[in-house]
Amino acid sequence: MKKTILTLPLLAVILSTLLTFVSCSKKAELTPVTFKTLEVKKDNITVCVDPRTEVLLIASRLAEISFFANHDMDGDDYITGIDKIMEKQKNHEFVKLLKSMTKNYKGGIYQLLTLSKYISEDFTEIYFTKKTVPAEIEALCKNLDTKKFITLLNDFVNASNLSRVWLLYESYMKANLFDVSDFYDKYPNVTRWISEYFFDASTKQIFKVHVSPIMNYYHIMTPYSTYDGVNNFFICQSPGLNKVNNFSDINLAITMCGSFYITYLREHYESFKNYIEKMMNDWAVKNNYTEKFQDFNYIGYATDWISYVTIINYIEKFSPEDSKELYISSIESSLPMEELISLKDVFKYYDENRANYPTMESFLNNYLADYLSKLN
C-alpha cells in the first residue's frame, strides 16, 4: 500500500482551503439583511436613520429597558405601529440577551447606542471579540459572547421582517429627517463652535445625528472618536425635540461638549483623578449623598459639569445680548460647587491663549491638569 506524504507547502494549501471553507460557512449560516440608510447631508452634518442603531432601539423597547419603554411618545404613529408589529418578538432570544446585558448595566445608555457602529450593515458580523472589546463599550460588552450576539441579532432582524417595516415607515422617517435637518440649519453656530473651540484648523469634524421617536424627546451623545484624522460625533435624538421649548442651540452644544469630554476623561482620567474624586466626595458628604461613586460615576458627573462650565463660552459668543446674563446665571446655578464656577476663568484663559494651546486637548494636558494639581 502506498503511503501518502504531504509536503509542507501542500499541507498549508489544504489547511488554508479548509479554514476558508469554515470561515465562509460560518458567515453563510447568517442571512444578510440590507436596509436602505435614510439620510440628509449638508456640509459636515448627516441627519439619518441608521438601520443598525434603529434595530437596537427597537429591541431595547421590546426588552423594556426603562429609558425606551417608559414613553411620552406612545401616541406617535411610528411607536404605536412598531409596538403592534413587533409584539410577537418580545420573547425572542436576542431581546432576552439584550435584557440580560443591561440588567446590572451602569455604563450609561450611550454605550448601547455606540455598540451599533460595531455591527456590519448586513447584520452578519460584529467587529470585535470577547478579548478586544472597545473601551467605549466595555461596561456593556465585557465578556460578551460576540458570536452568540450576532447570530441572535441576525435571526431577530430576519424573523421580525424588519426590512418590510422599514419600507412601511420610510416616508414617515424621511419627514422626520428633514424636520431635524432644518433644526440644525437654524443653529449652524453649534457645530462651527465645536470645530473651532475644541480643535484646530488642520482637523476635520463630522457630525452624525440618528433620529428616532424611540428616543422619547431626549438626545444622547456618544463618545466622539477619531478615524484617519477625522473627529466623529454621533448623537441620537427624538424628532420632536425642535418643537420642545427647552431644547435649544445651548442644549445641543452642551451635548456635543459632553461627547468630547467623556472620551477625553476616559483616556486621561489619571491626570485629573485626585481633583475630581476629592471634589465629588466632599460634595457627597456635604449633601448627605450616600451612593458610593464608581469610576463611571466620577467620569459621568465630571463630563456633565465641565460641559456646563465650557458652554459659557458659547453663550458669550452667540447668544443674544439681552439674554446672555440670564443664560449664564442659569448655567452657574446648575453647578453644585463653587470650584466649578471658578473654572470659567480658566477656560477664558484658554480662549485668549489659543496660540499656545491650539486645541482643547493640548490645553487640558498642558495647563489644566497642572493647575488643578496645585489646588489639592
Side-chain angles (χ1 to χ4, degrees):
M1 182 181 292
K2 281 187 176 180
K3 291 183 179 179
T4 303
I5 300 175
L6 297 178
T7 63
L8 286 176
L10 179 59
L11 182 61
V13 169
I14 293 173
L15 285 173
S16 175
T17 303
L18 285 171
L19 287 172
T20 300
F21 173 77
V22 170
S23 175
C24 291
S25 66
K26 281 183 178 178
K27 189 171 180 180
E29 292 172 5
L30 304 182
T31 305
V33 184
T34 304
F35 296 83
K36 180 181 178 182
T37 298
L38 306 175
E39 60 182 31
V40 177
K41 257 184 178 178
K42 292 183 180 179
D43 300 322
N44 62 340
I45 302 175
T46 299
V47 180
C48 68
V49 182
D50 186 309
R52 299 166 299 174
T53 306
E54 193 63 17
V55 166
L56 287 185
L57 286 173
I58 291 171
S60 297
R61 182 162 171 81
L62 293 176
E64 298 180 343
I65 296 172
S66 60
F67 182 88
F68 306 110
N70 301 328
H71 233 274
D72 295 324
M73 291 185 71
D74 284 338
D76 179 89
D77 289 343
Y78 179 78
I79 296 294
T80 303
I82 288 295
D83 286 350
K84 185 176 180 180
I85 294 168
M86 301 297 293
E87 186 177 5
K88 292 180 180 179
Q89 302 302 325
K90 273 197 168 185
N91 292 318
H92 191 281
E93 290 302 314
F94 179 70
V95 175
K96 292 178 182 177
L97 175 63
L98 206 58
K99 188 177 289 189
S100 68
M101 287 172 64
T102 56
K103 184 177 181 182
N104 298 310
Y105 168 48
K106 297 180 179 178
I109 293 297
Y110 78 84
Q111 291 202 14
L112 181 61
L113 301 175
T114 304
L115 173 60
S116 64
K117 72 179 181 182
Y118 293 100
I119 298 168
S120 65
E121 292 183 354
D122 64 359
F123 295 92
T124 62
E125 294 180 86
I126 189 165
Y127 300 130
F128 62 88
T129 67
K130 187 183 291 188
K131 294 181 179 180
T132 61
V133 178
E136 60 186 343
I137 54 173
E138 188 175 7
L140 176 67
C141 298
K142 188 177 182 181
N143 299 320
L144 177 66
D145 183 337
T146 53
K147 183 179 178 183
K148 178 182 178 181
F149 179 91
I150 196 63
T151 300
L152 293 179
L153 172 59
N154 180 264
D155 185 72
F156 172 74
V157 174
N158 281 287
S160 307
N161 198 12
L162 277 170
S163 56
R164 186 171 177 278
V165 174
W166 204 258
L167 290 173
L168 182 64
Y169 285 99
E170 182 174 342
S171 59
Y172 171 89
M173 291 189 283
K174 281 182 177 178
N176 284 337
L177 294 186
F178 285 109
D179 197 28
V180 173
S181 182
D182 288 344
F183 175 80
Y184 280 79
D185 284 345
K186 185 179 178 181
Y187 297 113
N189 286 330
V190 176
T191 51
R192 188 181 305 142
W193 175 72
I194 291 290
S195 294
E196 294 174 356
Y197 189 67
F198 285 85
F199 306 98
D200 61 22
S202 67
T203 59
K204 181 180 179 182
Q205 283 63 243
I206 297 292
F207 301 89
K208 181 179 176 181
V209 183
H210 177 87
V211 180
S212 174
I214 299 176
M215 288 304 297
N216 192 20
Y217 289 121
Y218 283 94
H219 60 294
I220 291 182
M221 56 81 192
T222 64
Y224 98 98
S225 54
T226 303
Y227 300 106
D228 298 326
V230 177
N231 299 307
N232 298 274
F233 288 80
F234 181 47
I235 295 172
C236 296
Q237 72 170 70
S238 165
L241 275 177
N242 55 323
K243 297 183 178 72
V244 178
N245 291 333
N246 65 354
F247 187 73
S248 65
D249 57 326
I250 296 174
N251 282 326
L252 177 59
I254 290 172
T255 297
M256 291 187 180
C257 286
S259 182
F260 173 86
Y261 285 125
I262 201 161
T263 295
Y264 176 84
L265 286 174
R266 187 189 300 110
E267 295 174 355
H268 301 275
Y269 185 64
E270 288 302 315
S271 299
F272 302 90
K273 177 181 173 75
N274 292 338
Y275 176 79
I276 290 174
E277 295 187 6
K278 181 181 183 304
M279 179 177 65
M280 290 190 182
N281 288 333
D282 289 347
W283 170 76
V285 170
K286 183 179 178 181
N287 291 276
N288 297 315
Y289 190 76
T290 56
E291 179 184 345
K292 184 179 179 182
F293 284 108
Q294 303 294 327
D295 279 350
F296 177 79
N297 300 100
Y298 285 117
I299 292 175
Y301 280 109
T303 294
D304 289 344
W305 291 340
I306 198 170
S307 296
Y308 272 75
V309 175
T310 307
I311 203 63
I312 292 174
N313 179 273
Y314 177 86
I315 293 170
E316 289 175 338
K317 287 181 177 177
F318 300 112
S319 292
E321 285 296 331
D322 58 353
S323 302
K324 286 181 182 180
E325 187 175 343
L326 175 63
Y327 290 165
I328 292 174
S329 175
S330 176
I331 290 293
E332 290 180 351
S333 67
S334 301
L335 297 169
M337 307 159 201
E338 287 294 327
E339 298 97 317
L340 289 167
I341 297 174
S342 67
L343 284 179
K344 69 179 184 180
D345 292 330
V346 176
F347 284 97
K348 185 176 181 181
Y349 177 82
Y350 163 65
D351 200 35
E352 294 170 347
N353 290 272
R354 292 297 298 276
N356 296 324
Y357 307 104
T359 66
M360 179 63 78
E361 183 170 5
S362 66
F363 175 71
L364 297 175
N365 288 345
N366 299 304
Y367 182 86
L368 187 61
D370 183 59
Y371 173 87
L372 295 179
S373 68
K374 293 174 182 175
L375 297 181
N376 280 331

